[in-house]
Amino acid sequence: MKKHNFSAGPSILTQEVLQKASEAVLNFNNDNLSILEISHRSPAFVAVMEKARSLVLELLDLENKGYSVLFLQGGASLQFLMTPYNLMKENGKAAYLDTGAWSSKAIKEAKLFGEVEVVASSKDKNYNYIPKNYTIPSAVDYIHCTSNNTIYGTQIKEFPKSDNVLVCDMSSDIFSRQLDFTQFDVIYAGAQKNMGPAGTTLAVVKESILGKTGRTIPSMLDYQVHISKDSMFNTPPVFAVYTSMLTLQWLKEKGGIAAIEKINNAKAELLYSEIDNNPLFKGVAEKEDRSNMNVTFVLTDDSLKDKFDSMCKEADISGINGHRSVGGYRASIYNALPLESVQVLVNVMKALK
Amino acid sequence: MKKHNFSAGPSILTQEVLQKASEAVLNFNNDNLSILEISHRSPAFVAVMEKARSLVLELLDLENKGYSVLFLQGGASLQFLMTPYNLMKENGKAAYLDTGAWSSKAIKEAKLFGEVEVVASSKDKNYNYIPKNYTIPSAVDYIHCTSNNTIYGTQIKEFPKSDNVLVCDMSSDIFSRQLDFTQFDVIYAGAQKNMGPAGTTLAVVKESILGKTGRTIPSMLDYQVHISKDSMFNTPPVFAVYTSMLTLQWLKEKGGIAAIEKINNAKAELLYSEIDNNPLFKGVAEKEDRSNMNVTFVLTDDSLKDKFDSMCKEADISGINGHRSVGGYRASIYNALPLESVQVLVNVMKALK
């Protein structure tokens, strides 16, 4: 009996993906070898890598539009460093939107490379909203934003409009909603929310923006090096890429982003409407900026905490504790979480007295 | 029926490790959740990370000697960059021993940070030996060497002796032989030979050598940042760390490095003695520098190639093609490869006519 897994990340993967991944650890491709013990240069794994890369472009509707897909290591945290290294000119400048702890970390690393202008921040209200009506300076090398803020439960609905290069950390909502992905020049995302297990990081890079900084970039941090080697400059994280490929395949079979978005919207509506209608609960994020991936809420009466926690536990609900900097609860309702799990949580909320 | 897996890397893991890893993908820790979908901050995974870190110190006999163990991402290739970043002073200098393609890559990255003196190289003979009797300049920030050279089948038996900081890339022979590991200040190794699947990189760092360069180091490249967070600065590659922990546990139960070294020596002796006694085969590496992990050899009569290849295939021998830069054959006989597999290969060699 599986739990209802609302973990913020690493987070739920579908059962059929887990089943196939588990089998591949014993016998991959019916070749009597584990996927953990074969060469990454073997035709069977090269095919996995190529399939994963092409599925990303297909799902994001970015085929034949000048984008390259990379499966890297180091998490979004290494991308915080790779983006300025690859995009900020010597003595250059970048604009950052500060919507939470992860944006702040990205800003900190970028400052090692040049001037960083924070164009807007929602820090004044512990990041419970998305800043709007900010002005973007015209002469910047790029603009950086974080599409979804896991900790606070906020999500950008309208992205910065400008002629500048636009970089987006989509770690916690990639593949969850339809967007015009051509508005972005770099999209990066740690796999461990909507794509796969921890251990690989997706980078989708528009090739024409590269090679313009005048910097000498160390090989492992250079998008162009990884692109020139088809994402196999060095040994890739084989199992994480394979499991991501399985998840991307599952998403495609389900009807792609358009189909999963409908389900994601239904899950979010069900849960937010309970939060709004049940006097025992209150949402944390501003309504217009609410995330469809991470739903943050608190009890209006703290004395009910132990009761609610034990009711959740009894219902096999797992991973809904809020982040320590926000408190309360956070239900992460990523692509792989079924509507039924949200219904179970809502039923518990309704039953609380 | 499993194959005899001589793959150079990612490479063979023991069947019991694969079995446990496969089970954990479905149900980890009897908690009805996959190890791929739980928080890396959960007590169950924090215990895995701590166990893996302490097993490394125990197996290397480095407990309570000022070393920290990190499970990072990015492979040895990222360490090529992290070592100079953390150890080479501004306008500093480092000494490198060039024993193959991987040493050369390390040298290339280090040159971005300061002066690199290549104290010796075996490039003149396509790296088929280990240089000796070289002089190490006294005023260097560190010396870098590669203990085992997978492609060429050579292995350092005597490490550079000096008062300088000593850094060693042990990707392909860590945990395979007894050494006084206190002679090293940094040991790093991609997991995918003797420790686990591709996707994590071990770094064992003597803390007292850090913080002396005067450089500002990006967080993800700073050993001190990772040490201060107990190797959890950002989401670690959970599954790769877990499988590495299982392999380290297996090695400890087998009797540790002392016990596996005996088996490794027996495997190497069996195979090298066939190479030396069978007129149809010839070793590639100089005898005194032969690796006990990667055994490189060629046929003395190329016309037998198709026959030998098909005999190997029939015997379920996998992964013995030599690297393209050397040609011939390479049998990788890492810790997890049983003596029986070497015997099967030797039998095929004996049967070749």
Side-chain angles (χ1 to χ4, degrees):
Chain A
M1 167 61 195
K2 286 282 289 188
K3 291 188 175 167
H4 301 288
N5 184 2
F6 292 89
S7 176
S11 49
I12 187 168
L13 295 173
T14 64
Q15 205 53 33
E16 71 184 79
V17 165
L18 294 173
Q19 193 66 48
K20 283 181 192 168
S22 173
E23 284 163 17
V25 171
L26 293 177
N27 184 0
F28 171 60
N29 210 27
N30 283 321
D31 203 26
N32 289 326
L33 287 171
S34 165
I35 190 158
L36 308 185
E37 54 177 0
I38 59 165
S39 171
H40 56 291
R41 306 279 177 202
S42 63
F45 182 73
V46 170
V48 167
M49 176 61 95
E50 284 316 300
K51 186 77 190 162
R53 296 174 79 209
S54 70
L55 279 167
V56 169
L57 289 182
E58 187 183 343
L59 288 164
L60 299 178
D61 197 14
L62 287 178
E63 286 168 306
N64 303 314
K65 288 172 183 164
Y67 289 83
S68 269
V69 175
L70 302 173
F71 283 86
L72 303 174
Q73 295 186 61
S77 296
L78 196 64
Q79 296 306 306
F80 297 165
L81 159 65
M82 282 180 72
T83 41
Y85 228 140
N86 283 269
L87 301 176
M88 204 190 287
K89 295 188 178 71
E90 296 271 17
N91 305 310
K93 185 175 168 180
Y96 276 69
L97 192 59
D98 176 26
T99 57
W102 297 103
S103 303
S104 302
K105 289 183 189 208
I107 290 164
K108 183 185 169 206
E109 302 304 318
K111 282 180 175 168
L112 299 176
F113 294 86
E115 196 184 335
V116 173
E117 182 168 335
V118 178
V119 293
S121 172
S122 49
K123 196 175 181 181
D124 57 335
K125 293 188 177 172
N126 198 25
Y127 298 115
N128 76 345
Y129 70 102
I130 299 292
K132 291 159 203 91
N133 304 319
Y134 44 85
T135 308
I136 291 164
S138 54
V140 291
D141 295 330
Y142 65 92
I143 304 165
H144 181 282
C145 60
T146 314
S147 58
N148 187 75
N149 303 281
T150 331
I151 296 175
Y152 319 93
T154 63
Q155 191 171 32
I156 297 180
K157 314 288 176 183
E158 289 282 330
F159 289 89
K161 298 241 179 305
S162 92
D163 296 332
N164 289 292
V165 167
L166 183 58
V167 178
C168 188
D169 175 358
M170 287 196 192
S171 291
S172 53
D173 69 349
I174 193 156
F175 303 121
S176 72
R177 57 173 168 163
Q178 296 180 91
L179 289 171
D180 172 10
F181 292 99
T182 63
Q183 71 190 297
F184 306 102
D185 298 282
V186 176
I187 297 167
Y188 63 81
Q192 65 270 17
K193 321 285 192 184
N194 272 336
M195 197 177 71
T200 191
T201 312
L202 176 67
V204 184
V205 184
K206 192 163 191 174
E207 290 186 47
S208 59
I209 65 166
L210 299 175
K212 298 181 174 175
T213 65
R215 294 183 192 273
T216 307
I217 308 172
S219 306
M220 275 296 286
L221 303 179
D222 188 340
Y223 287 134
Q224 287 184 314
V225 166
H226 290 287
I227 290 170
S228 74
K229 299 291 186 182
D230 295 331
S231 198
M232 293 265 235
F233 170 66
N234 69 335
T235 312
V238 170
F239 181 74
V241 174
Y242 176 66
T243 310
S244 296
M245 189 277 281
L246 292 176
T247 305
L248 294 164
Q249 224 162 22
W250 164 82
L251 180 55
K252 183 184 167 180
E253 281 157 19
K254 247 188 127 72
I257 295 179
I260 206 79
E261 184 181 33
K262 278 187 198 149
I263 303 170
N264 286 337
N265 285 344
K267 290 185 292 185
E269 275 164 36
L270 178 61
L271 186 48
Y272 280 121
S273 98
E274 181 62 25
I275 289 168
D276 290 339
N277 293 323
N278 187 329
L280 298 180
F281 295 95
K282 204 177 75 175
V284 170
E286 288 292 333
K287 283 190 183 179
E288 63 178 9
D289 301 322
R290 280 173 165 175
S291 166
N292 276 8
M293 291 282 104
N294 311 97
V295 179
T296 48
F297 57 98
V298 294
L299 283 162
T300 51
D301 177 358
D302 269 349
S303 71
L304 289 169
K305 182 176 172 4
D306 289 347
K307 190 173 180 190
F308 182 58
D309 289 351
S310 73
M311 287 168 70
C312 284
K313 199 174 169 186
E314 202 154 312
D316 271 326
I317 288 167
S318 169
I320 62 160
N321 281 340
H323 190 271
R324 65 185 179 282
S325 64
V326 173
Y329 298 92
R330 170 176 51 177
S332 297
I333 53 176
Y334 297 121
N335 284 357
L337 186 93
L339 182 65
E340 293 69 33
S341 288
V342 178
Q343 190 61 61
V344 167
L345 173 58
V346 166
N347 291 348
V348 170
M349 293 167 80
K350 280 188 197 298
L352 183 68
K353 275 192 194 91
Chain B
M1 166 61 195
K2 286 282 289 190
K3 290 188 177 170
H4 302 288
N5 185 2
F6 291 89
S7 176
S11 49
I12 187 168
L13 296 172
T14 65
Q15 205 52 33
E16 71 185 80
V17 164
L18 294 173
Q19 193 66 47
K20 284 181 192 167
S22 173
E23 284 164 15
V25 170
L26 293 177
N27 184 1
F28 172 60
N29 212 26
N30 283 321
D31 203 24
N32 288 326
L33 286 171
S34 166
I35 189 156
L36 308 185
E37 54 175 1
I38 59 164
S39 171
H40 56 291
R41 307 278 179 205
S42 62
F45 182 72
V46 171
V48 166
M49 177 62 94
E50 285 314 302
K51 185 76 189 162
R53 295 174 79 209
S54 70
L55 279 167
V56 169
L57 289 182
E58 188 183 343
L59 288 164
L60 299 178
D61 197 14
L62 288 178
E63 286 169 306
N64 303 313
K65 289 173 183 163
Y67 290 84
S68 268
V69 175
L70 303 173
F71 283 86
L72 304 173
Q73 294 185 63
S77 296
L78 196 64
Q79 296 306 306
F80 297 163
L81 160 65
M82 284 180 70
T83 41
Y85 228 141
N86 283 269
L87 301 176
M88 205 191 286
K89 295 188 179 70
E90 296 271 17
N91 305 312
K93 183 175 167 179
Y96 276 68
L97 191 58
D98 176 25
T99 56
W102 298 102
S103 303
S104 302
K105 288 183 190 208
I107 289 164
K108 182 186 170 205
E109 301 305 317
K111 282 181 174 169
L112 299 176
F113 294 86
E115 196 185 335
V116 173
E117 182 169 334
V118 178
V119 294
S121 172
S122 48
K123 196 175 180 181
D124 57 337
K125 293 188 177 173
N126 198 26
Y127 298 116
N128 76 344
Y129 70 103
I130 300 291
K132 290 158 203 94
N133 305 317
Y134 44 84
T135 309
I136 292 164
S138 54
V140 292
D141 295 330
Y142 65 92
I143 305 165
H144 181 283
C145 60
T146 314
S147 58
N148 186 75
N149 302 282
T150 331
I151 296 176
Y152 319 93
T154 63
Q155 192 172 31
I156 297 180
K157 313 290 175 181
E158 289 283 330
F159 289 89
K161 298 240 178 306
S162 92
D163 295 333
N164 289 292
V165 166
L166 183 59
V167 178
C168 189
D169 175 359
M170 287 195 194
S171 291
S172 52
D173 70 351
I174 193 157
F175 303 121
S176 72
R177 57 173 169 164
Q178 295 181 91
L179 290 171
D180 172 11
F181 292 99
T182 64
Q183 69 188 300
F184 307 102
D185 298 282
V186 176
I187 296 166
Y188 64 81
Q192 64 270 17
K193 321 285 191 182
N194 272 336
M195 197 178 72
T200 191
T201 312
L202 176 68
V204 185
V205 184
K206 192 162 193 176
E207 290 186 46
S208 59
I209 64 165
L210 298 174
K212 297 182 175 174
T213 64
R215 296 181 191 275
T216 306
I217 308 173
S219 305
M220 275 297 284
L221 304 179
D222 189 341
Y223 288 133
Q224 287 184 314
V225 166
H226 290 286
I227 290 169
S228 73
K229 298 293 185 180
D230 295 331
S231 200
M232 293 266 234
F233 170 66
N234 69 334
T235 312
V238 169
F239 181 74
V241 174
Y242 175 65
T243 309
S244 297
M245 188 276 281
L246 292 176
T247 304
L248 294 165
Q249 225 162 22
W250 164 82
L251 179 55
K252 184 184 167 180
E253 281 158 19
K254 248 189 126 71
I257 294 179
I260 206 80
E261 184 181 34
K262 278 187 200 148
I263 303 171
N264 286 337
N265 286 343
K267 290 187 291 184
E269 275 163 35
L270 178 60
L271 186 48
Y272 281 121
S273 96
E274 181 61 25
I275 289 168
D276 290 339
N277 294 325
N278 187 330
L280 298 181
F281 295 96
K282 204 177 75 176
V284 170
E286 287 292 330
K287 283 191 182 178
E288 64 179 8
D289 301 322
R290 279 175 166 174
S291 165
N292 276 7
M293 291 283 103
N294 310 97
V295 178
T296 48
F297 56 98
V298 293
L299 281 163
T300 51
D301 176 359
D302 268 351
S303 71
L304 289 170
K305 182 175 171 4
D306 288 349
K307 190 172 181 192
F308 182 59
D309 289 352
S310 73
M311 286 168 71
C312 285
K313 199 175 169 188
E314 202 154 311
D316 270 327
I317 288 167
S318 168
I320 61 159
N321 280 339
H323 190 272
R324 64 185 178 283
S325 64
V326 173
Y329 298 92
R330 169 175 53 176
S332 298
I333 54 177
Y334 297 121
N335 283 357
L337 185 92
L339 181 65
E340 293 69 34
S341 288
V342 179
Q343 190 62 62
V344 167
L345 174 58
V346 166
N347 291 347
V348 170
M349 292 167 81
K350 280 189 197 298
L352 184 67
K353 275 189 195 97

